[in-house]
Amino acid sequence: MRRWLPIVALLLVACGADAQNRSATAPRAGFDSNRAWTDLERQVAFGPRPAGSPALAKCREYIEAQLKAIKAAYREQTFDAMTPAGTIRMTNVIATIPGRRSDRLVIATHYDTKRFAEFKFLGASDAASSTAATLELARVLTARANEYTIELLFLDGEEAVNTEWRDPDNTYGSKYYVQAAQQAGTLASLKALILLDMVGDRDLDIRPDTNSAPWLNQIVWSSAARLGYASTFIPQPFTVEDDHLPFVEARVASIDIIDLDYPQWHTAQDDLDHVSARSLQIVGDVVLDALPQIEQQLSQNLNR
Ligand SMILES: [Zn+2]
């Protein structure tokens, strides 16, 4: 993805106690960052995973094996993407956890890594971290009753094939997903998108993205503050181009939860030394806390 210049005018002082010393290793009934960390390590062990590579196919098999283990129904959405490097076959993986309502909330991540010929890019944060967090959220959410149907969406081809991020060379999987949903007439039941990307940074700082829906930012930042993560979810807005944009353009309420203040972004150092299980825990806790409030807000909108 690409970031634009930060909007610095709205710097508010983060306040309140922070739970920085909360254990990331204790077993929990909710989001378990130990399991998520295993998912992250396993992906990194496949090596660089650009769209169309055998390593990405192995990563996809791993994702699907995790979904099978929790008996989550899933399907593959395969398509041919026209890229600057020619046609590349790409595959989104779409898992569904039925809820009381058929209306859907989508939790999404990309699982491809950016291709670099000059060095070995492992993508520990970009995008093993968000893929791991999404898998662990799938485990938690299949084990409980949900109001809305929840879709876990593992997107291929987020990264630009060329070095530079220039349209239309990016977000191939999300563009295809939205276009296919529009053609199938299924977009109307998609009520909100929660996109996770680059959530593994050891020094996690997440800022609200201005392309995201303000009400979703507000709920997520309130959850973070309530859980004691106000120094991680800081209130300085900035603007990100990422997999949520095709959804935003299709008028789906969307939020991108992303830490782009990551010096190792798109370098050989985006590795296990620069990510942490605790960062996955923070993001998992916040998403799980925010979900019922997002559902409540959506229900109110529907009843209006
Ligand atoms: Zn990237």
Side-chain angles (χ1 to χ4, degrees):
M1 77 306 306
R2 177 170 72 178
R3 67 179 290 180
W4 293 89
L5 288 176
I7 298 165
V8 288
L10 270 174
L11 172 58
L12 302 173
V13 180
C15 56
D18 192 87
Q20 288 293 349
N21 47 15
R22 185 179 295 201
S23 169
T25 52
R28 304 167 176 242
F31 189 97
D32 182 346
S33 55
N34 291 321
R35 291 191 300 207
W37 182 256
T38 301
D39 294 330
L40 187 154
E41 283 183 320
R42 292 289 299 273
Q43 292 174 78
V44 168
F46 292 128
R49 308 174 295 287
S53 66
L56 190 65
K58 281 191 191 141
C59 183
R60 181 162 59 247
E61 279 168 27
Y62 176 79
I63 290 168
E64 292 175 351
Q66 304 314 304
L67 295 170
K68 271 183 202 146
I70 54 170
K71 299 186 168 59
Y74 69 88
R75 67 185 173 97
E76 290 188 348
Q77 182 180 54
T78 297
F79 59 99
D80 286 323
M82 310 301 163
T83 81
T87 302
I88 298 179
R89 179 146 283 205
M90 299 188 185
T91 303
N92 298 328
V93 178
I94 306 167
T96 304
I97 306 170
R100 277 184 287 271
R101 295 171 188 249
S102 56
D103 284 337
R104 290 170 297 150
L105 266 172
V106 178
I107 301 173
T109 174
H110 73 96
Y111 71 99
D112 63 305
T113 57
K114 187 163 174 64
R115 69 182 61 217
F116 287 100
E118 328 74 272
F119 60 90
K120 197 174 161 186
F121 180 69
L122 294 172
S125 190
D126 186 12
S129 67
S130 51
T131 302
T134 303
L135 279 172
E136 178 57 14
L137 285 168
R139 294 186 188 106
V140 176
L141 293 167
T142 46
R144 71 179 204 190
N146 301 294
E147 179 64 22
Y148 280 74
T149 292
I150 293 175
E151 196 170 285
L152 293 317
L153 178 54
F154 301 87
L155 293 162
D156 202 342
E158 185 269 343
E159 299 288 1
V161 169
N162 280 341
T163 306
E164 253 183 85
W165 176 281
R166 196 176 293 155
D167 289 327
D169 176 29
N170 54 59
T171 60
Y172 292 97
S174 55
K175 280 177 197 155
Y176 185 84
Y177 175 96
V178 169
Q179 185 194 21
Q182 280 169 329
Q183 279 166 8
T186 53
L187 208 59
S189 67
L190 202 174
K191 299 303 178 190
L193 170 82
I194 301 170
L195 176 64
L196 305 179
D197 195 1
M198 297 182 66
V199 293
D201 185 359
R202 263 179 192 281
D203 304 313
L204 193 66
D205 37 24
I206 294 177
R207 299 160 56 183
D209 152 54
T210 58
N211 281 323
S212 298
W215 69 271
L216 283 169
N217 278 337
Q218 207 238 314
I219 287 176
V220 167
W221 262 255
S222 302
S223 283
R226 189 169 43 249
L227 295 174
Y229 299 140
S231 68
T232 298
F233 281 72
I234 53 178
Q236 280 174 273
F238 75 141
T239 302
V240 185
E241 291 186 6
D242 203 349
D243 273 326
H244 59 324
L245 286 194
F247 292 85
V248 172
E249 281 158 21
R251 307 184 71 82
V252 175
S254 305
I255 181 170
D256 191 8
I257 299 176
I258 182 168
D259 177 359
L260 255 174
D261 293 328
Y262 183 55
Q264 293 76 27
W265 179 48
H266 289 181
T267 73
Q269 285 72 50
D270 183 4
D271 57 20
L272 291 178
D273 290 341
H274 296 95
V275 292
S276 77
R278 183 181 147 66
S279 297
L280 302 180
Q281 187 69 54
I282 291 171
V283 170
D285 287 346
V286 169
V287 171
L288 286 175
D289 187 79
L291 264 181
Q293 294 159 74
I294 293 171
E295 291 180 325
Q296 201 180 2
Q297 184 62 49
L298 287 173
S299 303
Q300 280 172 12
N301 294 349
L302 287 178
N303 294 336
R304 233 169 244 159

